[in-house]
Amino acid sequence: ALEESDQTRAQLGLAHSYSRSKVKFNVNRQDNMIIQSIALLDTLDKDINTFAMRVKEWYGWHFPELVKIVGDNYKYARLVKMIKVKTSLSDESVDALQEVLDDDEDLAKQIVEASKTSMGYDVSDVDMLNVQTFAERVINLEEYRRQL
């Protein structure tokens, strides 16, 4: 005959044994983490490219020459955020542009010259706000991706 305390201990032992078998060490667990991380990076890259394409498309109506000068999505988005309206650019803007362009003075001067002869048209304040919002999103996603 089993006493109640023996029965309780046996149930507890059985429960621990059962739990251990269910939570066995998974040898692939670290692989799963790596696979998840890679999937996250892929998704992030895809989202960044999609948003960057929209920024280039929309800002391209205003300043189409910029996309030919700067190909990098991150730099392009930072430039859009900094420039806003292309007519605001002048020779004094070169230093600020250089900061975004990793001190490339020639590229900065190219952008200023292109803004003077740009074929793009003026954009409404609401449209510019939307472009700025998307540019900010590209910048934030790219910086987040670089942290990973």
Side-chain angles (χ1 to χ4, degrees):
L2 278 174
E3 293 197 15
E4 197 171 318
S5 63
D6 291 334
Q7 188 176 356
T8 304
R9 247 192 323 235
Q11 285 175 336
L12 186 62
L14 182 61
H16 282 291
S17 179
Y18 178 75
S19 295
R20 261 194 301 281
S21 72
K22 285 291 183 191
V23 185
K24 271 192 177 158
F25 179 71
N26 183 354
V27 285
N28 297 322
R29 194 163 90 198
Q30 287 203 321
D31 288 351
N32 287 339
M33 299 282 278
I34 292 168
I35 291 166
Q36 294 282 334
S37 297
I38 291 169
L40 175 64
L41 287 174
D42 288 344
T43 303
L44 221 58
D45 287 342
K46 196 170 155 186
D47 290 347
I48 290 168
N49 285 333
T50 301
F51 287 141
M53 281 173 37
R54 290 297 150 258
V55 170
K56 287 179 178 180
E57 180 183 341
W58 293 345
Y59 197 69
W61 291 108
H62 177 63
F63 191 2
E65 297 80 5
L66 185 61
V67 77
K68 294 174 187 138
I69 299 169
V70 179
D72 180 66
N73 291 339
Y74 180 61
K75 287 180 185 174
Y76 187 91
R78 288 181 60 204
L79 286 169
V80 167
K81 192 83 175 123
M82 191 209 94
I83 295 170
K84 293 183 176 90
V85 181
K86 67 182 177 205
T87 53
S88 69
L89 288 177
S90 66
D91 292 332
E92 287 83 46
S93 308
V94 172
D95 287 340
L97 290 170
Q98 272 182 260
E99 206 174 295
V100 174
L101 298 167
D102 301 325
D103 292 327
D104 191 334
E105 187 177 355
D106 293 335
L107 214 53
K109 286 180 179 175
Q110 263 185 288
I111 291 170
V112 171
E113 287 307 308
S115 73
K116 292 175 184 174
T117 59
S118 177
M119 300 299 286
Y121 56 83
D122 293 338
V123 178
S124 72
D125 291 341
V126 173
D127 288 340
M128 185 55 75
L129 185 65
N130 286 327
V131 172
Q132 293 290 310
T133 301
F134 264 82
E136 183 70 34
R137 189 161 291 152
V138 170
I139 293 165
N140 290 339
L141 284 172
E142 183 63 41
E143 287 172 353
Y144 176 65
R145 191 218 182 281
R146 289 176 183 196
Q147 287 175 357
L148 292 178

